[in-house]
Each structure stands twice: as C-alpha cells, then as structure tokens.
Amino acid sequence: MSESVMIKVEKLNKSFGDLHVLKDIDFTVKESDVVCLIGASGSGKSTLLRCLNFLEIKDSGNIVIEGDKIESDTHDLNKVRTKVGMVFQHFHLFPHKTVIENVMEAPVYVKGIPKKEAMEEARKLLKKVGLSDKENVYPSKLSGGQKQRVAIARALAMKPDVMLFDEPTSALDPELVGEVLATMKELAEEGMTMVVVTHEMGFAREVADWAVYMHDGKIVEVGHPEELFNNPKEARTKAFLDSVL
C-alpha cells in the first residue's frame, strides 16, 4: 500500500468568539486510510472536518492536502474542494432536481464535463449506491437512507481523492443506518481515503484503520480500533467508551 500522505494537519486552532474549539490539532491521513473521529458532542470533531473542507477557516496552523499547503487567501477553495468530497448529516440535496440531476450538477457546472458524459457517470454511481431505479425521482420521495446514498453518489461524482463524512447516519431512522454504512464500507474496501465523524462504534471498529478520540478540542488518543476500544491508554478515552459501548 502506498504511504503517500493525503492530509496533514499541524497545530490547527479554531475559535468561535471566546470558544476555543480546536486546540493545536496534529493529524495525518495517508492514502486509503479510513479514519474515524469519535468523541462526545462538542469535542470539535465536526469543526475539524469542516476545516479540512475549508467550510470553516482555521485561525492558525497548517492544513496540507496532498503536499499542498492550503491558505484561504491564496488558493481557490472551490478547486480544493473538488479533491475533498463531503457528505453531511442532513444530505443537502437540491429538492427541485431529480436524483440524477443532483448527482450530475457539480461535474457539469463546476468541472465543465459534457452533460452526456456526466449522465453516464451519474448512472454508474447510482448503480454503485444501489439506486439505479430512483434516477428520475425527486428527493422528497426518498427515505433518509436513500437521500444519504444519493449524497454519497453526488460527492463521488467529483472524483475526489478524499471523502469526509460528518455523522452521515445520525439523522437517519435506526433501520436505515445499515444501508448507508454498507455503502461506506464498500468505498473503504475499494481503497477510498475517508475521514468519518461517527457515533457508530461498530462501524469504527470494523472498518476504520485508525480511531481518533477527541475531547474538549484536543486529540486525546489515536490507535487501531481493536487497540483503542479494547485497551484505551487514556482514562478519558476509557470513560467515553464505557459510556457508549
């Protein structure tokens, strides 16, 4: 497996007003890694993810994507975002567009890919997420799990090098969680580099190469899931895992 570094974060800090949300975060994601960020709500996981996609702009520190140190004032962030796909908790699909139009939108309008080509690619991706039969349906007619799988197909349509998932199952009914996690598991098996903020400890344990426990804006512990879940080194990690497992 190649050891090329996809994302490197050094001494990242982010505050909202007086609230210091990320404190000197150091974090590395290598190619084909699946990294799960775990921790209580408010520990800074989603903010870290949003900084990696430049939806939040850091206060200090470095974010290096595939060897390129990204600064919001010198880089075209939309271009950077084409490399780093993001799937949100609440889907964010265009309600007035059909499923296939949602998936085609960015390749056509951001990358300038011809419609015919974008449509072929969108069909392949819908097949991949198990929704070929829904291409002409509007989002309002889909279940939450189906919407989330469309959102995953839409992010993949940009052919990103890294996928970020921000609690992709937390807005779903319990019986729909499995279908989304199965799609994500398949991506992991294909070698997609993924950073996932999740409360699904089973998924983290089964699919992640690394689990990262965050507390109060800091990374407390990083380890292989088996190691971290079974023998956490830090008392805080142990207390958190005892409360959720």
Side-chain angles (χ1 to χ4, degrees):
M1 183 145 104
S2 117
E3 283 295 274
S4 73
V5 173
M6 303 299 273
I7 296 177
K8 191 167 182 57
V9 173
E10 301 163 322
K11 296 277 173 275
L12 182 70
N13 282 277
K14 175 69 185 171
S15 296
F16 296 106
D18 295 336
L19 190 62
H20 194 174
V21 183
L22 295 177
K23 303 168 184 172
D24 283 337
I25 296 281
D26 290 313
F27 178 70
T28 300
V29 181
K30 293 185 172 156
E31 189 174 355
S32 298
D33 273 356
V34 177
V35 179
C36 282
L37 303 178
I38 62 171
S41 294
S43 55
K45 307 179 302 292
S46 291
T47 303
L48 172 55
L49 213 62
R50 291 173 72 85
C51 285
L52 297 180
N53 191 258
F54 303 94
L55 293 168
E56 301 291 354
I57 300 303
K58 64 186 170 67
D59 296 332
S60 64
N62 295 322
I63 298 176
V64 182
I65 307 264
E66 296 183 78
D68 193 8
K69 190 166 127 194
I70 309 295
E71 295 295 347
S72 55
D73 46 3
T74 55
H75 284 76
D76 175 351
L77 295 183
N78 284 331
K79 205 166 171 188
V80 176
R81 287 189 198 109
T82 63
K83 290 184 186 176
V84 184
M86 182 132 175
V87 175
F88 301 88
Q89 193 173 341
H90 293 292
F91 332 127
H92 296 316
L93 297 177
F94 297 116
H96 59 291
K97 291 185 181 292
T98 61
V99 163
I100 197 160
E101 287 170 342
N102 264 284
V103 178
M104 289 167 59
E105 178 86 0
V108 171
Y109 293 103
V110 178
K111 281 192 159 176
I113 288 170
K115 275 195 170 157
K116 185 166 178 283
E117 195 183 314
M119 184 175 274
E120 279 170 22
E121 187 57 33
R123 285 201 169 117
K124 277 186 206 151
L125 289 168
L126 289 174
K127 186 174 178 197
K128 182 189 203 52
V129 300
L131 291 172
S132 293
D133 57 333
K134 301 289 184 199
E135 68 172 61
N136 295 315
V137 169
Y138 286 90
S140 61
K141 298 276 187 279
L142 299 177
S143 71
Q146 290 168 334
K147 285 180 191 166
Q148 194 56 293
R149 285 184 287 151
V150 173
I152 292 171
R154 183 180 59 179
L156 289 172
M158 292 301 278
K159 297 194 169 29
D161 298 331
V162 180
M163 286 277 279
L164 310 176
F165 293 86
D166 190 6
E167 297 193 20
T169 58
S170 63
L172 301 179
D173 294 333
E175 69 273 17
L176 301 175
V177 167
E179 63 191 58
V180 174
L181 293 180
T183 300
M184 292 169 64
K185 207 184 307 183
E186 207 171 289
L187 286 179
E189 282 161 8
E190 289 167 9
M192 173 59 83
T193 308
M194 292 161 57
V195 184
V196 184
V197 171
T198 187
H199 292 293
E200 299 289 338
M201 296 301 145
F203 175 81
R205 179 174 249 163
E206 191 184 343
V207 180
D209 297 301
W210 300 98
V212 176
Y213 171 61
M214 290 183 69
H215 176 80
D216 192 27
K218 295 185 177 130
I219 290 179
V220 175
E221 188 167 349
V222 179
H224 287 290
E226 274 311 299
E227 192 61 29
L228 191 93
F229 284 107
N230 296 338
N231 305 302
K233 292 184 176 60
E234 301 290 331
R236 271 193 182 143
T237 315
K238 184 172 176 355
F240 169 72
L241 290 170
D242 287 346
S243 72
V244 296
L245 292 178

